[in-house]
Amino acid sequence: MALTAVGALVISGCTAGGGEENNDDSGLVEGSSITAAWNQAFYSMNGNTSFGNATANNNINYLVLDGFNYYDNTPELVKNESFGSYELVSEDPLTVKYTISDDASWSDGTPVDAADMLLHWAANSRSLDTPDFDPAEFTDPDTGEFTESFPTDVVYFDSGATPTSGLGLVSETPEVGDDGKSITMTYDQPFVDWELTFAGVGAMLPAHIVAKKALELDDNEAAKQAILDAIQDEDAAALAPISSFWNSGFNFTEMPDDPELVTASGPYMISDYVADQYVTLTANPEYAGDNTANIEEITIRFIPDPLAAVQALENGEVDIIQPQATADITTALEGIDGITVNTGLGGTYEHVDLQFDQGRNPENIFSNPLVREAFMKTIPRQEIVDTLIKPIIGDDAILRDSQLFVPGAEGYDDSAANNTSADYAEVDIEGATALLAESGVTNTEVCILYASNNPRRVNEFSLIQQSANSAGFNVTDCGSEEWGGLLGTPGAYDASLFGWQSTSLGVTNSLPTFETGGINNLNFYSNAEVDEIISQLNVEFDAEAQIELQQEMDRLLWEDFYGVTIFQFPEVTAFSDRVTNIDASILAPTIFWNAWDWEVTDGGSEE
């Protein structure tokens, strides 16, 4: 899962251009450029961390960091063999070999190799982490980032990996082979989604840059060797600064002074970044893969207001938008000539999560199940759908009644019928008031985190606040433009309102949200029964059994008063006639999944 990214400041400038001349046989048009809009500013080139795992980051990381596979818009998983190949060596024990192509290199000319893969394994398995270290007290509640007091002698990769799933099941250091171009990983037990666990497009970072910065080295090859030595020797003294830099060294909110921090392996590389305004991506001259860029320069402007994005499209300031859909948006787009508009339901769903532990309220209000149940009874789910979503898509606007299943998917109807979601279809202020009184809680403050510059979220917050306050809660405003980085930060808020966007079709896609200690478990939820079901799902290859396990898990989540799901996002994509090959995917990164195929036409307006 990836956080649905929303929020940033409205910007101006950076208009679209065009070009005529082919630069080479790759299809790249020299001097060509287009501009897309997104609704939250980029802030990290490492989308593998709990801090950086947001769509706003991963849209861009997808284009600058190459990998072994990606989803097209069918959606089907595509093997990216021009970057590297992988093979199932053995099913028992599950053993997989990954081999990097001889043509794959970083934008500074350094080959991609086993050092990069081994660092990715170490970070995303956490097999070498210092045992039992808890980073909570070293996390800034105002930013979500680690503080300067974070201990320097601790090995801690902030990937949220757990020892029961994904790369966490590869506890032994992979074997390096083929003159440093391959690694072979052996799993501790079978894992149903093994093909999705390792280094997809947008994930793997340059090991030599990490080592150079963390260990103060100058030579690229020496830096790669230092990564190999540190991991293979389990050298905690070297791994501590390596993990620290991996966690936060690629976080930046404007163009970094050090150009090595934007070292890329994908078809594009970050060439300019103006804070809160735009990121510019330029075709990577060192890229030799199949997904070569057609357009030399793509600028992504940050426009949080959907109507402002529509206005920018109408003015020719941007060529592609996918704003958060509202009734006003669809009406405004109808009046614009020279554009194409595509609509439908997307892969993102809205929800409210309650902090089971380490909330802002000093009484840790939602540690009490009576209070959780009471608050869920006050959330006006149907009113939100009727008021904010139905005007956009009519009767297709329905409540989502499952934490795991998408409406219409196999297993959804039975799961919704057998969990307790129906208890929260309508508000029950009387019932909520009684439960709150029974709980004995004296401090009823609930501070809700949401994107404060997102109009729809502002409206949702207002509806929830009014309803919950009528039952005796004191709902306060923890809204922030920097909400994404604050998610999961201890002491920052009591409940959160945001969306999860699917990144794969894997059975285990949503499990890190609910597994104890999982990377997307941002509300400190823990249930031994749920963890056991997750362990079973990790190794269950039978489709019918998978559905049954997920239905049982869905029931437990609702009975634990985890929080509520609200609706599936309506999705609107609009683009100018001057750009072609725009065909969004339901999975992240939606419109950007084939940005290397975009082309500028001869027609249309230019500025």
Side-chain angles (χ1 to χ4, degrees), residues 217-492:
L217 302 174
D218 295 322
D219 181 76
N220 289 346
E221 290 305 314
K224 279 184 173 291
Q225 189 60 50
I227 290 288
L228 292 171
D229 292 343
I231 293 172
Q232 292 174 328
D233 297 341
E234 299 185 14
D235 181 356
L239 287 169
I242 287 171
S243 65
S244 178
F245 190 86
W246 186 91
N247 290 338
S248 57
F250 294 94
N251 297 341
F252 48 87
T253 54
E254 60 184 354
M255 194 65 183
D257 293 333
D258 184 351
E260 289 193 316
L261 295 182
V262 294
T263 301
S265 58
Y268 285 94
M269 55 189 299
I270 297 173
S271 57
D272 192 19
Y273 182 9
V274 176
D276 296 324
Q277 295 189 35
Y278 62 84
V279 162
T280 297
L281 307 178
T282 301
N284 178 1
E286 293 292 327
Y287 180 74
D290 289 343
N291 297 325
T292 53
N294 290 329
I295 296 172
E296 187 170 38
E297 187 176 276
I298 297 175
T299 293
I300 301 171
R301 286 182 55 182
F302 310 130
I303 307 179
D305 187 329
L307 285 173
V310 172
Q311 187 65 57
L313 179 66
E314 183 174 19
N315 294 344
E317 297 168 7
V318 301
D319 301 290
I320 307 167
I321 64 172
Q322 195 177 67
Q324 193 170 88
T326 66
D328 290 340
I329 292 300
T330 55
T331 300
L333 287 170
E334 289 173 357
I336 303 176
D337 294 328
I339 67 168
T340 298
V341 180
N342 296 326
T343 61
L345 283 176
T348 302
Y349 69 94
E350 193 84 329
H351 61 103
V352 173
D353 288 351
L354 309 180
Q355 297 305 102
F356 280 63
D357 191 16
Q358 302 192 52
R360 182 184 178 99
N361 184 309
E363 292 188 23
N364 202 27
I365 186 169
F366 287 132
S367 64
N368 187 319
L370 293 174
V371 181
R372 294 199 302 274
E373 183 182 6
F375 193 76
M376 285 169 59
K377 284 179 175 291
T378 71
I379 298 175
R381 299 168 68 217
Q382 190 65 55
E383 184 180 5
I384 290 171
V385 170
D386 291 343
T387 304
L388 302 178
I389 308 303
K390 188 162 286 189
I392 307 171
I393 54 175
D395 291 340
D396 288 336
I398 60 173
L399 287 176
R400 170 167 167 153
D401 286 327
S402 172
Q403 294 281 1
L404 296 175
F405 294 94
V406 176
E410 185 178 2
Y412 172 83
D413 290 341
D414 287 342
S415 195
N418 293 309
N419 63 33
T420 56
S421 60
D423 294 349
Y424 312 100
E426 301 287 349
V427 297
D428 178 8
I429 300 303
E430 183 178 348
T433 303
L435 285 167
L436 190 58
E438 183 184 351
S439 74
V441 168
T442 56
N443 183 344
T444 64
E445 181 177 2
V446 175
C447 201
I448 300 180
L449 175 68
Y450 65 97
S452 60
N453 53 354
N454 180 293
R456 187 160 78 199
R457 295 266 164 72
V458 171
N459 288 330
E460 289 180 73
F461 168 76
S462 178
L463 291 171
I464 294 170
Q465 181 183 47
Q466 181 179 359
S467 179
N469 284 357
S470 67
F473 286 98
N474 175 26
V475 174
T476 56
D477 193 337
C478 272
S480 170
E481 294 181 13
E482 311 302 327
W483 68 275
L486 289 169
L487 282 167
T489 300

Side-chain angles (χ1 to χ4, degrees), residues 48 121-129 156-172 187-191 197 508 510-522 525-526 530-532 534-535 538:
N48 301 289
W121 164 79
N124 290 280
S125 71
R126 297 182 57 203
S127 295
L128 305 179
D129 278 17
Y156 180 78
F157 288 99
D158 180 34
S159 66
T162 63
T164 58
S165 63
L167 288 183
L169 291 169
V170 185
S171 60
E172 295 298 320
Y187 285 73
D188 301 333
Q189 66 183 49
F191 184 67
T197 62
T508 59
S510 63
L511 303 189
T513 304
F514 309 108
E515 182 179 22
T516 301
I519 186 173
N520 288 342
N521 188 335
L522 305 171
Y525 172 74
S526 182
V530 169
D531 288 344
E532 176 58 29
I534 289 173
S535 295
N538 286 337

